[in-house]
Amino acid sequence: GDSVTQMEGPVTLSEEAFLTINCTYTATGYPSLFWYVQYPGEGLQLLLKATKADDKGSNKGFEATYRKETTSFHLEKGSVQVSDSAVYFCALWMDSSYKLIFGSGTRLLVRP
Amino acid sequence: DAGVTQSPTHLIKTRGQQVTLRCSPKSGHDTVSWYQQALGQGPQFIFQYYEEEERQRGNFPDRFSGHQFPNYSSELNVNALLLGDSALYLCASSPRIAGGLGQYFGPGTRLTVT
């Protein structure tokens, strides 16, 4: 079945460091891809999305490119801040299934 | 715009009891989905409601049931609670036509089963 695999955390970085969180997917069709962020004690917020191959989603300095050839959607940010500390979830959506399929999440800790 | 709201925020129940969680969708949204997020894991899809009908269901037992009302709000019911049902329950709403591109999540209800 369709699935999402994320790198395990926690990822610990110093402020202003470069961030990469790896995400790969398995899908029988052509999914839309998403990154969601969850701050402590809160629900999920959509961070960025891409709907087709080679699309780049971006928001708040975060970017991810939909790579069909490698079935990947890695999240990157050039310079992280303490306020970016949260759990990040990669997810896919198939129109045929009406549901989001999430990875297990990657916790990011940014130290001052 | 209030966004997606859920109630209650927290709930403690005893094994074997029944629980009802509530969700009000974002204004203009007619589709509601429910997800279960166990501690340290990603959300798992329970089911989706559209036009007061269950349109899709994930791999959850029949103890999990739901309802959607004419005003698009929704309830999630869980019967015969098990310790393993302890989790954060998330509601997401969207306009039907938006599919996955328009999913807005509420803050969740944290259920603890003792």
Side-chain angles (χ1 to χ4, degrees), chain A residues 32 34 36 38 42-44 49 51 89 93 96-100 102-104, chain B residues 35 37 40-43 45 48 55-56 88 90 99-101 103 105-107:
Chain A
S32 296
F34 305 84
Y36 282 85
Q38 187 173 39
E42 298 185 12
L44 297 175
K49 62 189 177 190
T51 59
F89 292 94
W93 170 277
S96 57
S97 66
Y98 302 116
K99 64 183 179 184
L100 284 165
F102 288 88
S104 57
Chain B
Y35 293 81
Q37 185 180 13
Q41 298 183 23
F45 176 78
Q48 184 183 85
R55 183 161 71 169
Q56 184 66 270
L88 180 67
L90 296 166
L101 301 182
Q103 297 264 319
F105 283 82

Side-chain angles (χ1 to χ4, degrees), chain A residues 52-92:
Chain A
K52 61 183 186 298
D54 299 325
D55 269 1
K56 177 185 283 188
S58 61
N59 186 27
K60 299 180 181 180
F62 291 90
E63 293 182 339
T65 301
Y66 189 144
R67 301 288 188 199
K68 183 169 176 287
E69 64 275 13
T70 55
T71 62
S72 65
F73 193 56
H74 304 321
L75 182 68
E76 297 182 335
K77 187 176 185 183
S79 176
V80 294
Q81 305 300 313
V82 172
S83 57
D84 294 327
S85 297
V87 181
Y88 292 81
F89 292 94
C90 184
L92 68 82

Side-chain angles (χ1 to χ4, degrees), chain B residues 9-31:
Chain B
T9 304
H10 295 87
L11 204 51
I12 300 174
K13 290 288 189 178
T14 302
R15 192 171 45 185
Q17 287 187 317
Q18 179 264 345
V19 68
T20 298
L21 310 182
R22 295 175 175 83
C23 172
S24 291
K26 184 177 171 62
S27 178
H29 289 186
D30 56 6
T31 302

Side-chain angles (χ1 to χ4, degrees), chain B:
Chain B
D1 184 357
V4 181
T5 60
Q6 293 185 242
S7 62
T9 304
H10 295 87
L11 204 51
I12 300 174
K13 290 288 189 178
T14 302
R15 192 171 45 185
Q17 287 187 317
Q18 179 264 345
V19 68
T20 298
L21 310 182
R22 295 175 175 83
C23 172
S24 291
K26 184 177 171 62
S27 178
H29 289 186
D30 56 6
T31 302
V32 174
S33 302
W34 287 92
Y35 293 81
Q36 180 195 64
Q37 185 180 13
L39 195 62
Q41 298 183 23
Q44 299 291 317
F45 176 78
I46 303 175
F47 41 54
Q48 184 183 85
Y49 276 83
Y50 172 68
E51 290 187 338
E52 302 180 48
E53 297 282 338
E54 184 182 288
R55 183 161 71 169
Q56 184 66 270
R57 188 178 183 91
N59 294 325
F60 281 80
D62 292 344
R63 297 186 298 107
F64 289 77
S65 62
H67 189 77
Q68 185 179 35
F69 299 92
N71 67 352
Y72 309 122
S73 67
S74 177
E75 288 182 348
L76 164 65
N77 300 292
V78 186
N79 295 322
L81 285 166
L82 303 174
L83 296 179
D85 295 330
S86 294
L88 180 67
Y89 288 85
L90 296 166
C91 170
S93 74
S94 63
R96 181 189 64 84
I97 194 169
L101 301 182
Q103 297 264 319
Y104 286 78
F105 283 82
T109 293
R110 184 161 297 282
L111 172 65
T112 302
V113 182
T114 62

